[in-house]
Short mmCIF file of all heavy atoms in Angstrom, two decimals:
data_model
loop_
_atom_site.label_atom_id
_atom_site.label_comp_id
_atom_site.label_asym_id
_atom_site.label_seq_id
_atom_site.Cartn_x
_atom_site.Cartn_y
_atom_site.Cartn_z
N LEU A 17 101.85 94.67 99.80
CA LEU A 17 101.22 94.26 101.07
C LEU A 17 101.78 92.88 101.46
O LEU A 17 102.07 92.06 100.64
CB LEU A 17 99.69 94.09 100.84
CG LEU A 17 98.89 95.33 100.48
CD1 LEU A 17 97.53 94.94 100.10
CD2 LEU A 17 98.86 96.33 101.63
N PHE A 18 101.91 92.69 102.77
CA PHE A 18 102.27 91.35 103.34
C PHE A 18 101.28 91.07 104.45
O PHE A 18 101.06 91.87 105.36
CB PHE A 18 103.68 91.36 103.82
CG PHE A 18 104.74 91.53 102.79
CD1 PHE A 18 105.17 92.78 102.46
CD2 PHE A 18 105.28 90.44 102.17
CE1 PHE A 18 106.13 92.95 101.46
CE2 PHE A 18 106.25 90.58 101.23
CZ PHE A 18 106.69 91.84 100.91
N SER A 19 100.72 89.87 104.53
CA SER A 19 99.79 89.44 105.52
C SER A 19 100.52 89.32 106.86
O SER A 19 101.75 89.16 106.90
CB SER A 19 99.10 88.15 105.17
OG SER A 19 100.00 87.09 105.33
N PRO A 20 99.77 89.37 107.97
CA PRO A 20 100.41 89.18 109.31
C PRO A 20 101.17 87.87 109.39
O PRO A 20 102.15 87.76 110.12
CB PRO A 20 99.19 89.22 110.30
CG PRO A 20 98.19 90.05 109.54
CD PRO A 20 98.36 89.72 108.11
N GLU A 21 100.75 86.87 108.63
CA GLU A 21 101.42 85.57 108.68
C GLU A 21 102.83 85.62 108.13
O GLU A 21 103.66 84.75 108.38
CB GLU A 21 100.64 84.51 107.87
CG GLU A 21 99.31 84.04 108.53
CD GLU A 21 98.25 85.11 108.46
OE1 GLU A 21 98.29 86.02 107.54
OE2 GLU A 21 97.33 85.12 109.34
N GLN A 22 103.14 86.66 107.33
CA GLN A 22 104.45 86.86 106.75
C GLN A 22 105.43 87.56 107.70
O GLN A 22 106.63 87.69 107.41
CB GLN A 22 104.37 87.64 105.48
CG GLN A 22 103.49 86.96 104.40
CD GLN A 22 104.03 85.62 103.97
OE1 GLN A 22 105.23 85.50 103.56
NE2 GLN A 22 103.19 84.59 104.04
N THR A 23 104.92 88.02 108.90
CA THR A 23 105.79 88.77 109.81
C THR A 23 107.08 88.10 110.16
O THR A 23 108.13 88.71 110.30
CB THR A 23 104.95 89.13 111.07
OG1 THR A 23 103.78 89.86 110.70
CG2 THR A 23 105.78 89.94 112.05
N LYS A 24 107.08 86.77 110.32
CA LYS A 24 108.23 86.01 110.70
C LYS A 24 109.37 86.10 109.77
O LYS A 24 110.51 85.80 110.10
CB LYS A 24 107.82 84.57 110.94
CG LYS A 24 107.27 83.90 109.68
CD LYS A 24 106.77 82.44 110.08
CE LYS A 24 106.11 81.80 108.87
NZ LYS A 24 105.61 80.48 109.20
N TYR A 25 109.07 86.58 108.52
CA TYR A 25 110.17 86.74 107.50
C TYR A 25 110.58 88.15 107.29
O TYR A 25 111.54 88.41 106.50
CB TYR A 25 109.69 86.14 106.16
CG TYR A 25 109.20 84.70 106.21
CD1 TYR A 25 107.94 84.36 105.73
CD2 TYR A 25 110.01 83.71 106.76
CE1 TYR A 25 107.49 83.07 105.75
CE2 TYR A 25 109.51 82.40 106.78
CZ TYR A 25 108.27 82.11 106.28
OH TYR A 25 107.82 80.81 106.30
N LEU A 26 109.95 89.08 107.90
CA LEU A 26 110.10 90.51 107.53
C LEU A 26 111.03 91.31 108.46
O LEU A 26 111.15 92.56 108.25
CB LEU A 26 108.72 91.16 107.48
CG LEU A 26 107.76 90.62 106.43
CD1 LEU A 26 106.42 91.23 106.52
CD2 LEU A 26 108.34 90.75 105.04
N TYR A 27 111.65 90.72 109.43
CA TYR A 27 112.55 91.47 110.29
C TYR A 27 111.85 92.53 111.04
O TYR A 27 112.31 93.69 111.06
CB TYR A 27 113.76 91.97 109.51
CG TYR A 27 114.70 90.82 108.96
CD1 TYR A 27 114.38 90.28 107.72
CD2 TYR A 27 115.73 90.35 109.71
CE1 TYR A 27 115.17 89.27 107.20
CE2 TYR A 27 116.53 89.34 109.14
CZ TYR A 27 116.28 88.81 107.96
OH TYR A 27 117.03 87.77 107.44
N ARG A 28 110.73 92.22 111.69
CA ARG A 28 110.02 93.19 112.48
C ARG A 28 110.87 93.62 113.65
O ARG A 28 111.46 92.83 114.40
CB ARG A 28 108.71 92.58 112.97
CG ARG A 28 107.97 93.50 113.92
CD ARG A 28 106.73 92.84 114.53
NE ARG A 28 106.04 93.70 115.53
CZ ARG A 28 106.39 93.72 116.78
NH1 ARG A 28 107.26 92.90 117.32
NH2 ARG A 28 105.71 94.56 117.58
N VAL A 29 110.92 94.93 113.84
CA VAL A 29 111.69 95.50 114.98
C VAL A 29 110.79 95.43 116.23
O VAL A 29 109.66 95.87 116.17
CB VAL A 29 112.05 96.92 114.69
CG1 VAL A 29 112.74 97.57 115.88
CG2 VAL A 29 113.02 97.00 113.45
N PRO A 30 111.31 94.83 117.36
CA PRO A 30 110.49 94.71 118.56
C PRO A 30 110.04 96.13 119.01
O PRO A 30 110.75 97.11 118.82
CB PRO A 30 111.46 94.06 119.49
CG PRO A 30 112.49 93.39 118.68
CD PRO A 30 112.62 94.20 117.45
N TYR A 31 108.93 96.11 119.73
CA TYR A 31 108.33 97.33 120.30
C TYR A 31 108.09 98.41 119.30
O TYR A 31 108.17 99.59 119.52
CB TYR A 31 109.26 97.87 121.41
CG TYR A 31 109.63 96.88 122.48
CD1 TYR A 31 110.92 96.36 122.51
CD2 TYR A 31 108.69 96.41 123.36
CE1 TYR A 31 111.21 95.36 123.47
CE2 TYR A 31 109.03 95.43 124.30
CZ TYR A 31 110.31 94.93 124.31
OH TYR A 31 110.63 93.98 125.27
N SER A 32 107.77 98.02 118.04
CA SER A 32 107.54 98.94 117.00
C SER A 32 106.57 98.37 115.99
O SER A 32 106.10 97.17 116.12
CB SER A 32 108.84 99.35 116.25
OG SER A 32 109.23 98.23 115.46
N ILE A 33 106.18 99.08 114.95
CA ILE A 33 105.24 98.60 113.92
C ILE A 33 105.96 98.61 112.61
O ILE A 33 105.28 98.57 111.52
CB ILE A 33 103.98 99.46 113.89
CG1 ILE A 33 104.40 100.96 113.68
CG2 ILE A 33 103.22 99.27 115.14
CD1 ILE A 33 103.23 101.85 113.36
N HIS A 34 107.27 98.59 112.49
CA HIS A 34 107.99 98.60 111.24
C HIS A 34 109.09 97.49 111.23
O HIS A 34 109.39 96.95 112.28
CB HIS A 34 108.56 99.96 110.95
CG HIS A 34 109.54 100.38 111.97
ND1 HIS A 34 110.89 100.02 112.00
CD2 HIS A 34 109.39 101.25 113.08
CE1 HIS A 34 111.50 100.63 112.99
NE2 HIS A 34 110.64 101.33 113.69
N ASN A 35 109.61 97.25 110.07
CA ASN A 35 110.78 96.31 109.96
C ASN A 35 112.06 97.15 109.96
O ASN A 35 112.01 98.31 110.12
CB ASN A 35 110.57 95.36 108.81
CG ASN A 35 110.77 96.04 107.47
OD1 ASN A 35 110.78 97.26 107.35
ND2 ASN A 35 110.86 95.25 106.42
N LEU A 36 113.19 96.43 109.75
CA LEU A 36 114.47 97.11 109.75
C LEU A 36 114.53 98.13 108.63
O LEU A 36 114.24 97.91 107.45
CB LEU A 36 115.57 96.09 109.46
CG LEU A 36 115.91 95.10 110.58
CD1 LEU A 36 116.88 94.03 110.06
CD2 LEU A 36 116.40 95.82 111.82
N GLU A 37 114.86 99.41 109.02
CA GLU A 37 114.87 100.49 108.07
C GLU A 37 116.05 100.39 107.13
O GLU A 37 116.09 101.18 106.14
CB GLU A 37 114.78 101.83 108.80
CG GLU A 37 113.47 102.02 109.54
CD GLU A 37 113.43 103.23 110.41
OE1 GLU A 37 114.49 103.59 110.98
OE2 GLU A 37 112.34 103.82 110.59
N SER A 38 117.00 99.53 107.43
CA SER A 38 118.15 99.31 106.56
C SER A 38 117.78 98.47 105.36
O SER A 38 118.63 98.35 104.42
CB SER A 38 119.32 98.72 107.33
OG SER A 38 118.95 97.52 107.95
N ILE A 39 116.61 97.85 105.36
CA ILE A 39 116.25 96.96 104.25
C ILE A 39 115.75 97.85 103.10
O ILE A 39 114.84 98.75 103.28
CB ILE A 39 115.11 96.00 104.71
CG1 ILE A 39 115.71 95.01 105.71
CG2 ILE A 39 114.53 95.25 103.47
CD1 ILE A 39 114.64 94.11 106.30
N ASP A 40 116.28 97.62 101.91
CA ASP A 40 115.82 98.29 100.72
C ASP A 40 114.68 97.47 100.14
O ASP A 40 114.88 96.40 99.50
CB ASP A 40 116.96 98.43 99.70
CG ASP A 40 116.52 99.12 98.42
OD1 ASP A 40 115.34 99.43 98.24
OD2 ASP A 40 117.43 99.44 97.57
N MET A 41 113.44 97.94 100.29
CA MET A 41 112.30 97.15 99.88
C MET A 41 112.16 97.08 98.36
O MET A 41 111.53 96.15 97.84
CB MET A 41 111.00 97.79 100.43
CG MET A 41 110.85 97.67 101.95
SD MET A 41 110.85 95.95 102.55
CE MET A 41 109.34 95.37 101.82
N ASP A 42 112.85 97.93 97.65
CA ASP A 42 112.81 97.86 96.17
C ASP A 42 113.84 96.90 95.63
O ASP A 42 113.77 96.46 94.52
CB ASP A 42 113.06 99.27 95.58
CG ASP A 42 111.96 100.20 95.92
OD1 ASP A 42 110.76 99.79 95.88
OD2 ASP A 42 112.24 101.36 96.21
N ASN A 43 114.93 96.64 96.45
CA ASN A 43 116.02 95.76 96.00
C ASN A 43 116.61 95.08 97.23
O ASN A 43 117.72 95.30 97.63
CB ASN A 43 117.09 96.64 95.32
CG ASN A 43 118.06 95.76 94.51
OD1 ASN A 43 117.80 94.62 94.22
ND2 ASN A 43 119.22 96.35 94.26
N PRO A 44 115.85 94.14 97.84
CA PRO A 44 116.25 93.51 99.08
C PRO A 44 117.50 92.67 98.93
O PRO A 44 117.73 92.02 97.92
CB PRO A 44 115.04 92.61 99.44
CG PRO A 44 114.35 92.37 98.16
CD PRO A 44 114.48 93.61 97.34
N ASP A 45 118.35 92.71 99.99
CA ASP A 45 119.61 91.92 99.99
C ASP A 45 119.33 90.66 100.67
O ASP A 45 119.31 90.54 101.92
CB ASP A 45 120.63 92.82 100.74
CG ASP A 45 122.01 92.19 100.71
OD1 ASP A 45 122.16 90.96 100.47
OD2 ASP A 45 123.00 92.89 100.93
N PHE A 46 119.16 89.59 99.87
CA PHE A 46 118.86 88.27 100.41
C PHE A 46 120.05 87.61 101.10
O PHE A 46 119.86 86.70 101.93
CB PHE A 46 118.33 87.36 99.36
CG PHE A 46 116.92 87.69 98.83
CD1 PHE A 46 116.53 87.43 97.57
CD2 PHE A 46 116.07 88.43 99.62
CE1 PHE A 46 115.27 87.73 97.08
CE2 PHE A 46 114.79 88.78 99.18
CZ PHE A 46 114.42 88.43 97.88
N GLU A 47 121.23 88.08 100.85
CA GLU A 47 122.39 87.49 101.51
C GLU A 47 122.49 88.07 102.93
O GLU A 47 122.74 87.31 103.88
CB GLU A 47 123.70 87.84 100.77
CG GLU A 47 123.83 87.08 99.42
CD GLU A 47 125.20 87.29 98.79
OE1 GLU A 47 126.09 87.90 99.47
OE2 GLU A 47 125.38 86.87 97.66
N LYS A 48 122.27 89.34 103.12
CA LYS A 48 122.29 89.99 104.40
C LYS A 48 121.07 89.62 105.23
O LYS A 48 121.10 89.47 106.46
CB LYS A 48 122.47 91.50 104.32
CG LYS A 48 122.71 92.19 105.55
CD LYS A 48 123.05 93.68 105.33
CE LYS A 48 123.39 94.40 106.62
NZ LYS A 48 123.68 95.81 106.37
N TYR A 49 119.87 89.58 104.53
CA TYR A 49 118.64 89.35 105.22
C TYR A 49 117.94 88.12 104.49
O TYR A 49 116.96 88.28 103.76
CB TYR A 49 117.72 90.54 105.08
CG TYR A 49 118.32 91.83 105.62
CD1 TYR A 49 118.70 92.85 104.71
CD2 TYR A 49 118.58 92.03 106.96
CE1 TYR A 49 119.29 93.97 105.17
CE2 TYR A 49 119.22 93.20 107.42
CZ TYR A 49 119.54 94.18 106.54
OH TYR A 49 120.16 95.33 106.97
N PRO A 50 118.49 86.91 104.78
CA PRO A 50 117.99 85.71 104.03
C PRO A 50 116.52 85.39 104.22
O PRO A 50 115.91 84.78 103.32
CB PRO A 50 118.89 84.58 104.54
CG PRO A 50 119.41 85.13 105.91
CD PRO A 50 119.48 86.58 105.72
N ALA A 51 115.92 85.73 105.34
CA ALA A 51 114.49 85.40 105.55
C ALA A 51 113.57 86.09 104.59
O ALA A 51 112.48 85.58 104.28
CB ALA A 51 114.08 85.74 106.95
N LEU A 52 114.02 87.23 103.99
CA LEU A 52 113.16 87.98 103.08
C LEU A 52 112.76 87.17 101.85
O LEU A 52 111.69 87.37 101.31
CB LEU A 52 113.86 89.25 102.68
CG LEU A 52 114.08 90.32 103.74
CD1 LEU A 52 114.86 91.50 103.16
CD2 LEU A 52 112.75 90.82 104.36
N GLN A 53 113.61 86.24 101.48
CA GLN A 53 113.30 85.49 100.23
C GLN A 53 112.13 84.55 100.42
O GLN A 53 111.61 84.07 99.41
CB GLN A 53 114.60 84.72 99.79
CG GLN A 53 115.06 83.68 100.75
CD GLN A 53 116.40 83.20 100.38
OE1 GLN A 53 116.64 82.66 99.29
NE2 GLN A 53 117.39 83.23 101.28
N TYR A 54 111.73 84.28 101.65
CA TYR A 54 110.59 83.43 101.85
C TYR A 54 109.26 84.20 102.02
O TYR A 54 108.18 83.56 102.12
CB TYR A 54 110.83 82.58 103.14
CG TYR A 54 112.10 81.70 103.05
CD1 TYR A 54 113.24 82.09 103.64
CD2 TYR A 54 112.04 80.53 102.25
CE1 TYR A 54 114.36 81.25 103.52
CE2 TYR A 54 113.16 79.76 102.17
CZ TYR A 54 114.33 80.10 102.80
OH TYR A 54 115.43 79.31 102.67
N ALA A 55 109.38 85.50 102.09
CA ALA A 55 108.17 86.34 102.24
C ALA A 55 107.37 86.33 100.94
O ALA A 55 107.95 86.42 99.86
CB ALA A 55 108.54 87.75 102.65
N ARG A 56 106.07 86.31 101.05
CA ARG A 56 105.19 86.37 99.87
C ARG A 56 104.25 87.56 100.01
O ARG A 56 103.50 87.72 100.99
CB ARG A 56 104.36 85.08 99.81
CG ARG A 56 105.24 83.83 99.63
CD ARG A 56 105.93 83.78 98.28
NE ARG A 56 106.72 82.62 98.11
CZ ARG A 56 108.02 82.45 98.40
NH1 ARG A 56 108.67 83.47 98.89
NH2 ARG A 56 108.62 81.32 98.17
N GLY A 57 104.34 88.48 99.01
CA GLY A 57 103.55 89.69 99.07
C GLY A 57 102.50 89.79 98.00
O GLY A 57 102.34 88.93 97.18
N ILE A 58 101.75 90.91 98.10
CA ILE A 58 100.67 91.23 97.15
C ILE A 58 100.91 92.64 96.68
O ILE A 58 101.16 93.54 97.51
CB ILE A 58 99.30 91.11 97.84
CG1 ILE A 58 99.10 89.64 98.31
CG2 ILE A 58 98.23 91.48 96.86
CD1 ILE A 58 97.83 89.53 99.19
N THR A 59 100.90 92.81 95.38
CA THR A 59 101.11 94.18 94.82
C THR A 59 99.87 94.82 94.28
O THR A 59 99.05 94.14 93.67
CB THR A 59 102.16 94.15 93.73
OG1 THR A 59 101.80 93.26 92.70
CG2 THR A 59 103.53 93.68 94.29
N ALA A 60 99.79 96.12 94.44
CA ALA A 60 98.61 96.87 93.88
C ALA A 60 99.14 98.15 93.26
O ALA A 60 99.94 98.92 93.88
CB ALA A 60 97.66 97.21 95.01
N GLU A 61 98.73 98.37 92.03
CA GLU A 61 99.07 99.62 91.36
C GLU A 61 97.81 100.47 91.36
O GLU A 61 96.77 100.09 90.86
CB GLU A 61 99.47 99.39 89.92
CG GLU A 61 100.67 98.44 89.74
CD GLU A 61 101.95 98.99 90.42
OE1 GLU A 61 102.13 100.23 90.33
OE2 GLU A 61 102.70 98.22 91.05
N MET A 62 97.87 101.66 91.97
CA MET A 62 96.68 102.51 92.20
C MET A 62 96.72 103.76 91.27
O MET A 62 97.84 104.36 91.13
CB MET A 62 96.55 102.88 93.63
CG MET A 62 96.46 101.70 94.57
SD MET A 62 96.09 102.22 96.33
CE MET A 62 94.35 102.78 96.10
N GLU A 63 95.57 104.13 90.78
CA GLU A 63 95.40 105.38 90.05
C GLU A 63 94.16 106.13 90.65
O GLU A 63 93.57 105.64 91.52
CB GLU A 63 95.32 105.13 88.57
CG GLU A 63 94.12 104.24 88.21
CD GLU A 63 94.11 103.88 86.71
OE1 GLU A 63 95.09 104.20 86.05
OE2 GLU A 63 93.12 103.26 86.25
N HIS A 64 93.87 107.29 90.01
CA HIS A 64 92.84 108.12 90.51
C HIS A 64 91.52 107.38 90.67
O HIS A 64 90.96 106.72 89.76
CB HIS A 64 92.60 109.29 89.51
CG HIS A 64 91.54 110.26 89.93
ND1 HIS A 64 91.73 111.27 90.86
CD2 HIS A 64 90.18 110.31 89.62
CE1 HIS A 64 90.64 111.93 91.08
NE2 HIS A 64 89.67 111.40 90.32
#
């Protein structure tokens, strides 16, 4: 999860509700997308 305050770092695509689909969220490329390194997220592991 990322709060709305983190949107400025997430490469939000205009007129949409997603970020750049070329970003690998499991292994982000900070050289190509440097703003991502400033984003702060929250992780949740869910089970039954």
